[in-house]
PDB file of all heavy atoms in Angstrom:
ATOM      1  N   ASN P  71     113.154  99.944  81.910  1.00 74.00           N
ATOM      2  CA  ASN P  71     112.281 100.798  82.716  1.00 74.00           C
ATOM      3  C   ASN P  71     111.228 101.441  81.822  1.00 74.00           C
ATOM      4  O   ASN P  71     111.486 101.708  80.652  1.00 74.00           O
ATOM      5  CB  ASN P  71     113.082 101.912  83.401  1.00 74.00           C
ATOM      6  CG  ASN P  71     114.103 101.376  84.376  1.00 74.00           C
ATOM      7  OD1 ASN P  71     113.782 100.949  85.470  1.00 74.00           O
ATOM      8  ND2 ASN P  71     115.378 101.400  83.963  1.00 74.00           N
ATOM      9  N   ILE P  72     110.063 101.735  82.406  1.00 77.00           N
ATOM     10  CA  ILE P  72     108.985 102.404  81.680  1.00 77.00           C
ATOM     11  C   ILE P  72     108.496 103.590  82.495  1.00 77.00           C
ATOM     12  O   ILE P  72     108.312 103.489  83.711  1.00 77.00           O
ATOM     13  CB  ILE P  72     107.798 101.453  81.429  1.00 77.00           C
ATOM     14  CG1 ILE P  72     108.188 100.330  80.463  1.00 77.00           C
ATOM     15  CG2 ILE P  72     106.595 102.210  80.871  1.00 77.00           C
ATOM     16  CD1 ILE P  72     107.120  99.271  80.305  1.00 77.00           C
ATOM     17  N   GLU P  73     108.290 104.713  81.806  1.00 81.00           N
ATOM     18  CA  GLU P  73     107.627 105.845  82.416  1.00 81.00           C
ATOM     19  C   GLU P  73     106.439 106.230  81.552  1.00 81.00           C
ATOM     20  O   GLU P  73     106.581 106.456  80.354  1.00 81.00           O
ATOM     21  CB  GLU P  73     108.562 107.048  82.563  1.00 81.00           C
ATOM     22  CG  GLU P  73     107.885 108.250  83.233  1.00 81.00           C
ATOM     23  CD  GLU P  73     108.781 109.465  83.339  1.00 81.00           C
ATOM     24  OE1 GLU P  73     109.856 109.479  82.703  1.00 81.00           O
ATOM     25  OE2 GLU P  73     108.401 110.405  84.060  1.00 81.00           O
ATOM     26  N   VAL P  74     105.247 106.296  82.152  1.00 82.00           N
ATOM     27  CA  VAL P  74     104.053 106.758  81.457  1.00 82.00           C
ATOM     28  C   VAL P  74     103.951 108.249  81.717  1.00 82.00           C
ATOM     29  O   VAL P  74     103.665 108.694  82.830  1.00 82.00           O
ATOM     30  CB  VAL P  74     102.799 106.026  81.954  1.00 82.00           C
ATOM     31  CG1 VAL P  74     101.563 106.545  81.242  1.00 82.00           C
ATOM     32  CG2 VAL P  74     102.947 104.515  81.740  1.00 82.00           C
ATOM     33  N   VAL P  75     104.229 109.053  80.665  1.00 82.00           N
ATOM     34  CA  VAL P  75     104.343 110.496  80.839  1.00 82.00           C
ATOM     35  C   VAL P  75     103.944 111.180  79.536  1.00 82.00           C
ATOM     36  O   VAL P  75     104.204 110.674  78.447  1.00 82.00           O
ATOM     37  CB  VAL P  75     105.782 110.887  81.256  1.00 82.00           C
ATOM     38  CG1 VAL P  75     106.802 110.436  80.220  1.00 82.00           C
ATOM     39  CG2 VAL P  75     105.901 112.380  81.524  1.00 82.00           C
ATOM     40  N   THR P  76     103.298 112.327  79.637  1.00 83.00           N
ATOM     41  CA  THR P  76     102.893 113.087  78.470  1.00 83.00           C
ATOM     42  C   THR P  76     104.095 113.726  77.805  1.00 83.00           C
ATOM     43  O   THR P  76     104.961 114.286  78.473  1.00 83.00           O
ATOM     44  CB  THR P  76     101.881 114.179  78.860  1.00 83.00           C
ATOM     45  OG1 THR P  76     100.756 113.559  79.488  1.00 83.00           O
ATOM     46  CG2 THR P  76     101.426 114.966  77.652  1.00 83.00           C
ATOM     47  N   GLY P  77     104.157 113.654  76.481  1.00 68.00           N
ATOM     48  CA  GLY P  77     105.254 114.262  75.747  1.00 68.00           C
ATOM     49  C   GLY P  77     105.381 113.653  74.372  1.00 68.00           C
ATOM     50  O   GLY P  77     104.553 112.851  73.941  1.00 68.00           O
ATOM     51  N   SER P  78     106.427 114.024  73.664  1.00 57.00           N
ATOM     52  CA  SER P  78     106.669 113.490  72.331  1.00 57.00           C
ATOM     53  C   SER P  78     108.156 113.608  72.033  1.00 57.00           C
ATOM     54  O   SER P  78     108.901 114.258  72.748  1.00 57.00           O
ATOM     55  CB  SER P  78     105.862 114.256  71.275  1.00 57.00           C
ATOM     56  OG  SER P  78     106.247 115.622  71.263  1.00 57.00           O
ATOM     57  N   GLY P  79     108.576 112.969  70.953  1.00 52.00           N
ATOM     58  CA  GLY P  79     109.982 113.008  70.571  1.00 52.00           C
ATOM     59  C   GLY P  79     110.521 111.618  70.360  1.00 52.00           C
ATOM     60  O   GLY P  79     109.825 110.613  70.512  1.00 52.00           O
ATOM     61  N   ASP P  80     111.815 111.547  70.031  1.00 50.00           N
ATOM     62  CA  ASP P  80     112.421 110.273  69.690  1.00 50.00           C
ATOM     63  C   ASP P  80     112.432 109.295  70.853  1.00 50.00           C
ATOM     64  O   ASP P  80     112.522 108.085  70.654  1.00 50.00           O
ATOM     65  CB  ASP P  80     113.863 110.492  69.207  1.00 50.00           C
ATOM     66  CG  ASP P  80     113.909 111.229  67.885  1.00 50.00           C
ATOM     67  OD1 ASP P  80     112.882 111.231  67.184  1.00 50.00           O
ATOM     68  OD2 ASP P  80     114.965 111.813  67.579  1.00 50.00           O
ATOM     69  N   GLN P  81     112.384 109.820  72.102  1.00 49.00           N
ATOM     70  CA  GLN P  81     112.460 108.920  73.245  1.00 49.00           C
ATOM     71  C   GLN P  81     111.114 108.299  73.586  1.00 49.00           C
ATOM     72  O   GLN P  81     111.009 107.522  74.524  1.00 49.00           O
ATOM     73  CB  GLN P  81     113.011 109.650  74.479  1.00 49.00           C
ATOM     74  CG  GLN P  81     112.040 110.638  75.130  1.00 49.00           C
ATOM     75  CD  GLN P  81     112.115 112.023  74.533  1.00 49.00           C
ATOM     76  OE1 GLN P  81     112.386 112.178  73.351  1.00 49.00           O
ATOM     77  NE2 GLN P  81     111.882 113.030  75.347  1.00 49.00           N
ATOM     78  N   PHE P  82     110.065 108.612  72.817  1.00 51.00           N
ATOM     79  CA  PHE P  82     108.738 108.099  73.110  1.00 51.00           C
ATOM     80  C   PHE P  82     108.353 106.996  72.140  1.00 51.00           C
ATOM     81  O   PHE P  82     108.651 107.057  70.952  1.00 51.00           O
ATOM     82  CB  PHE P  82     107.684 109.219  73.029  1.00 51.00           C
ATOM     83  CG  PHE P  82     107.649 110.099  74.235  1.00 51.00           C
ATOM     84  CD1 PHE P  82     108.549 111.140  74.369  1.00 51.00           C
ATOM     85  CD2 PHE P  82     106.739 109.870  75.241  1.00 51.00           C
ATOM     86  CE1 PHE P  82     108.528 111.954  75.479  1.00 51.00           C
ATOM     87  CE2 PHE P  82     106.708 110.679  76.358  1.00 51.00           C
ATOM     88  CZ  PHE P  82     107.602 111.727  76.485  1.00 51.00           C
ATOM     89  N   ALA P  83     107.653 105.992  72.675  1.00 50.00           N
ATOM     90  CA  ALA P  83     106.977 105.033  71.809  1.00 50.00           C
ATOM     91  C   ALA P  83     105.755 105.727  71.223  1.00 50.00           C
ATOM     92  O   ALA P  83     105.034 106.428  71.913  1.00 50.00           O
ATOM     93  CB  ALA P  83     106.550 103.805  72.614  1.00 50.00           C
ATOM     94  N   ASN P  84     105.531 105.550  69.924  1.00 49.00           N
ATOM     95  CA  ASN P  84     104.500 106.327  69.249  1.00 49.00           C
ATOM     96  C   ASN P  84     103.304 105.521  68.776  1.00 49.00           C
ATOM     97  O   ASN P  84     102.316 106.092  68.331  1.00 49.00           O
ATOM     98  CB  ASN P  84     105.108 107.036  68.035  1.00 49.00           C
ATOM     99  CG  ASN P  84     106.140 108.066  68.444  1.00 49.00           C
ATOM    100  OD1 ASN P  84     105.911 108.850  69.352  1.00 49.00           O
ATOM    101  ND2 ASN P  84     107.290 108.030  67.793  1.00 49.00           N
ATOM    102  N   ASN P  85     103.385 104.202  68.821  1.00 47.00           N
ATOM    103  CA  ASN P  85     102.382 103.446  68.107  1.00 47.00           C
ATOM    104  C   ASN P  85     101.681 102.375  68.922  1.00 47.00           C
ATOM    105  O   ASN P  85     101.405 101.304  68.432  1.00 47.00           O
ATOM    106  CB  ASN P  85     103.008 102.772  66.872  1.00 47.00           C
ATOM    107  CG  ASN P  85     102.963 103.695  65.681  1.00 47.00           C
ATOM    108  OD1 ASN P  85     102.201 104.650  65.663  1.00 47.00           O
ATOM    109  ND2 ASN P  85     103.792 103.423  64.696  1.00 47.00           N
ATOM    110  N   LEU P  86     101.362 102.657  70.183  1.00 45.00           N
ATOM    111  CA  LEU P  86     100.580 101.686  70.924  1.00 45.00           C
ATOM    112  C   LEU P  86      99.225 101.480  70.260  1.00 45.00           C
ATOM    113  O   LEU P  86      98.652 100.399  70.301  1.00 45.00           O
ATOM    114  CB  LEU P  86     100.393 102.129  72.374  1.00 45.00           C
ATOM    115  CG  LEU P  86      99.669 101.135  73.283  1.00 45.00           C
ATOM    116  CD1 LEU P  86     100.409  99.819  73.358  1.00 45.00           C
ATOM    117  CD2 LEU P  86      99.459 101.712  74.664  1.00 45.00           C
ATOM    118  N   ASN P  87      98.696 102.533  69.609  1.00 39.00           N
ATOM    119  CA  ASN P  87      97.412 102.392  68.936  1.00 39.00           C
ATOM    120  C   ASN P  87      97.498 101.410  67.765  1.00 39.00           C
ATOM    121  O   ASN P  87      96.499 100.862  67.333  1.00 39.00           O
ATOM    122  CB  ASN P  87      96.894 103.756  68.443  1.00 39.00           C
ATOM    123  CG  ASN P  87      97.891 104.449  67.538  1.00 39.00           C
ATOM    124  OD1 ASN P  87      99.083 104.155  67.578  1.00 39.00           O
ATOM    125  ND2 ASN P  87      97.408 105.373  66.733  1.00 39.00           N
ATOM    126  N   ASP P  88      98.704 101.161  67.258  1.00 34.00           N
ATOM    127  CA  ASP P  88      98.854 100.181  66.194  1.00 34.00           C
ATOM    128  C   ASP P  88      98.887  98.754  66.719  1.00 34.00           C
ATOM    129  O   ASP P  88      98.749  97.813  65.958  1.00 34.00           O
ATOM    130  CB  ASP P  88     100.146 100.433  65.405  1.00 34.00           C
ATOM    131  CG  ASP P  88     100.017 101.626  64.472  1.00 34.00           C
ATOM    132  OD1 ASP P  88      98.882 102.040  64.187  1.00 34.00           O
ATOM    133  OD2 ASP P  88     101.068 102.122  64.053  1.00 34.00           O
ATOM    134  N   VAL P  89      99.141  98.597  68.023  1.00 34.00           N
ATOM    135  CA  VAL P  89      99.264  97.259  68.574  1.00 34.00           C
ATOM    136  C   VAL P  89      98.190  96.983  69.614  1.00 34.00           C
ATOM    137  O   VAL P  89      98.260  96.008  70.337  1.00 34.00           O
ATOM    138  CB  VAL P  89     100.659  97.030  69.189  1.00 34.00           C
ATOM    139  CG1 VAL P  89     101.730  97.185  68.148  1.00 34.00           C
ATOM    140  CG2 VAL P  89     100.912  97.982  70.358  1.00 34.00           C
ATOM    141  N   ASP P  90      97.153  97.833  69.672  1.00 34.00           N
ATOM    142  CA  ASP P  90      96.173  97.647  70.726  1.00 34.00           C
ATOM    143  C   ASP P  90      95.194  96.521  70.419  1.00 34.00           C
ATOM    144  O   ASP P  90      94.249  96.317  71.173  1.00 34.00           O
ATOM    145  CB  ASP P  90      95.422  98.953  71.029  1.00 34.00           C
ATOM    146  CG  ASP P  90      94.641  99.486  69.844  1.00 34.00           C
ATOM    147  OD1 ASP P  90      94.486  98.758  68.850  1.00 34.00           O
ATOM    148  OD2 ASP P  90      94.196 100.628  69.910  1.00 34.00           O
ATOM    149  N   ASN P  91      95.418  95.766  69.331  1.00 32.00           N
ATOM    150  CA  ASN P  91      94.655  94.555  69.107  1.00 32.00           C
ATOM    151  C   ASN P  91      95.339  93.350  69.712  1.00 32.00           C
ATOM    152  O   ASN P  91      94.942  92.221  69.487  1.00 32.00           O
ATOM    153  CB  ASN P  91      94.462  94.312  67.593  1.00 32.00           C
ATOM    154  CG  ASN P  91      93.447  95.265  67.030  1.00 32.00           C
ATOM    155  OD1 ASN P  91      92.547  95.701  67.723  1.00 32.00           O
ATOM    156  ND2 ASN P  91      93.583  95.592  65.757  1.00 32.00           N
ATOM    157  N   SER P  92      96.403  93.580  70.481  1.00 33.00           N
ATOM    158  CA  SER P  92      97.068  92.498  71.194  1.00 33.00           C
ATOM    159  C   SER P  92      96.875  92.716  72.673  1.00 33.00           C
ATOM    160  O   SER P  92      96.478  93.775  73.117  1.00 33.00           O
ATOM    161  CB  SER P  92      98.552  92.449  70.848  1.00 33.00           C
ATOM    162  OG  SER P  92      99.185  93.593  71.369  1.00 33.00           O
ATOM    163  N   SER P  93      97.175  91.695  73.471  1.00 33.00           N
ATOM    164  CA  SER P  93      96.938  91.811  74.903  1.00 33.00           C
ATOM    165  C   SER P  93      98.214  92.038  75.683  1.00 33.00           C
ATOM    166  O   SER P  93      98.171  92.152  76.892  1.00 33.00           O
ATOM    167  CB  SER P  93      96.267  90.530  75.425  1.00 33.00           C
ATOM    168  OG  SER P  93      97.111  89.419  75.245  1.00 33.00           O
ATOM    169  N   ASP P  94      99.365  92.113  75.038  1.00 34.00           N
ATOM    170  CA  ASP P  94     100.603  92.254  75.785  1.00 34.00           C
ATOM    171  C   ASP P  94     101.538  93.303  75.204  1.00 34.00           C
ATOM    172  O   ASP P  94     102.728  93.060  75.068  1.00 34.00           O
ATOM    173  CB  ASP P  94     101.348  90.914  75.820  1.00 34.00           C
ATOM    174  CG  ASP P  94     101.399  90.344  77.224  1.00 34.00           C
ATOM    175  OD1 ASP P  94     101.151  91.081  78.183  1.00 34.00           O
ATOM    176  OD2 ASP P  94     101.691  89.167  77.345  1.00 34.00           O
ATOM    177  N   PRO P  95     101.070  94.478  74.822  1.00 37.00           N
ATOM    178  CA  PRO P  95     101.998  95.449  74.272  1.00 37.00           C
ATOM    179  C   PRO P  95     102.909  96.014  75.352  1.00 37.00           C
ATOM    180  O   PRO P  95     102.458  96.423  76.402  1.00 37.00           O
ATOM    181  CB  PRO P  95     101.098  96.541  73.693  1.00 37.00           C
ATOM    182  CG  PRO P  95      99.844  96.427  74.461  1.00 37.00           C
ATOM    183  CD  PRO P  95      99.700  94.988  74.847  1.00 37.00           C
ATOM    184  N   ASN P  96     104.210  96.006  75.101  1.00 41.00           N
ATOM    185  CA  ASN P  96     105.174  96.629  75.983  1.00 41.00           C
ATOM    186  C   ASN P  96     105.947  97.658  75.188  1.00 41.00           C
ATOM    187  O   ASN P  96     105.710  97.852  74.009  1.00 41.00           O
ATOM    188  CB  ASN P  96     106.104  95.579  76.574  1.00 41.00           C
ATOM    189  CG  ASN P  96     105.315  94.577  77.370  1.00 41.00           C
ATOM    190  OD1 ASN P  96     104.849  94.867  78.452  1.00 41.00           O
ATOM    191  ND2 ASN P  96     105.136  93.402  76.806  1.00 41.00           N
ATOM    192  N   LEU P  97     106.891  98.309  75.815  1.00 41.00           N
ATOM    193  CA  LEU P  97     107.390  99.539  75.228  1.00 41.00           C
ATOM    194  C   LEU P  97     108.886  99.506  74.957  1.00 41.00           C
ATOM    195  O   LEU P  97     109.643  98.832  75.644  1.00 41.00           O
ATOM    196  CB  LEU P  97     107.060 100.701  76.170  1.00 41.00           C
ATOM    197  CG  LEU P  97     105.569 100.750  76.523  1.00 41.00           C
ATOM    198  CD1 LEU P  97     105.334 101.814  77.549  1.00 41.00           C
ATOM    199  CD2 LEU P  97     104.750 100.990  75.285  1.00 41.00           C
ATOM    200  N   PRO P  98     109.364 100.275  73.958  1.00 42.00           N
ATOM    201  CA  PRO P  98     110.771 100.259  73.591  1.00 42.00           C
ATOM    202  C   PRO P  98     111.637 101.024  74.580  1.00 42.00           C
ATOM    203  O   PRO P  98     111.153 101.780  75.407  1.00 42.00           O
ATOM    204  CB  PRO P  98     110.796 100.936  72.216  1.00 42.00           C
ATOM    205  CG  PRO P  98     109.596 101.808  72.233  1.00 42.00           C
ATOM    206  CD  PRO P  98     108.558 101.091  73.045  1.00 42.00           C
ATOM    207  N   ASN P  99     112.930 100.834  74.454  1.00 43.00           N
ATOM    208  CA  ASN P  99     113.885 101.441  75.375  1.00 43.00           C
ATOM    209  C   ASN P  99     114.913 102.228  74.569  1.00 43.00           C
ATOM    210  O   ASN P  99     115.998 101.762  74.296  1.00 43.00           O
ATOM    211  CB  ASN P  99     114.559 100.333  76.183  1.00 43.00           C
ATOM    212  CG  ASN P  99     115.488 100.896  77.242  1.00 43.00           C
ATOM    213  OD1 ASN P  99     115.452 102.082  77.529  1.00 43.00           O
ATOM    214  ND2 ASN P  99     116.307 100.038  77.800  1.00 43.00           N
ATOM    215  N   PRO P 100     114.575 103.455  74.124  1.00 44.00           N
ATOM    216  CA  PRO P 100     115.456 104.211  73.231  1.00 44.00           C
ATOM    217  C   PRO P 100     116.761 104.607  73.908  1.00 44.00           C
ATOM    218  O   PRO P 100     116.819 104.739  75.127  1.00 44.00           O
ATOM    219  CB  PRO P 100     114.626 105.466  72.890  1.00 44.00           C
ATOM    220  CG  PRO P 100     113.229 105.109  73.251  1.00 44.00           C
ATOM    221  CD  PRO P 100     113.341 104.163  74.393  1.00 44.00           C
TER     222      PRO P 100
END
Side-chain angles (χ1 to χ4, degrees):
N71 297 284
I72 293 173
E73 181 182 12
V74 179
V75 59
T76 302
S78 61
D80 293 340
Q81 73 272 32
F82 281 82
N84 295 314
N85 272 342
L86 184 60
N87 56 338
D88 285 343
V89 299
D90 61 12
N91 286 331
S92 68
S93 63
D94 247 344
N96 300 287
L97 306 174
N99 185 13

